[in-house]
Amino acid sequence: MLVIVVENVPPRLRGRLAVWLLEVRAGVYVGTCSRRTREMIWQQVMDNIGEGNAVIAWASPNDAGFEFETAGSSRRVPVDLDGFRLVSFLPAAE
């Protein structure tokens, strides 16, 4: 299983994601694909994200059962605590 969530990205990127994945809600894409295809899709996100932000999560045989990566600017920042990835929040902009 693969999930990608995008915010404030160009319409062109949303169209590209819709080619490979199902858009179940605005900006939320889900599907199943191979590792190679997942990496190609994520590269498309990285190349075309513009001023937006994105997160990708996929099933993985680890303690959490999934892995994730982020791109773009967001208040949510991944942190590693003893090999377990969590999400930290940056302070709100004033």
Side-chain angles (χ1 to χ4, degrees):
M1 174 67 83
L2 170 70
V3 178
I4 297 178
V5 180
V6 295
E7 294 177 329
N8 195 29
V9 297
R12 179 179 176 192
L13 176 57
R14 293 177 64 131
R16 284 184 179 228
L17 289 172
V19 168
W20 298 296
L21 305 167
L22 179 64
E23 187 174 15
V24 294
R25 296 203 52 124
V28 179
Y29 299 86
V30 297
T32 55
C33 58
S34 68
R35 184 185 121 242
R36 187 174 189 175
T37 302
R38 179 187 77 231
E39 290 171 354
M40 181 271 302
I41 293 170
W42 188 241
Q43 189 60 52
Q44 291 289 318
V45 171
M46 299 291 289
D47 292 344
N48 298 291
I49 198 166
E51 297 295 317
N53 63 69
V55 63
I56 182 173
W58 65 93
S60 179
N62 60 20
D63 290 339
F66 66 92
E67 291 185 43
F68 69 96
E69 290 184 36
T70 61
S73 60
S74 174
R75 285 187 57 213
R76 294 172 176 88
V77 179
V79 294
D80 186 286
L81 289 163
D82 295 329
F84 200 77
R85 293 196 62 194
L86 300 173
V87 178
S88 175
F89 286 87
L90 296 175
E94 300 205 14

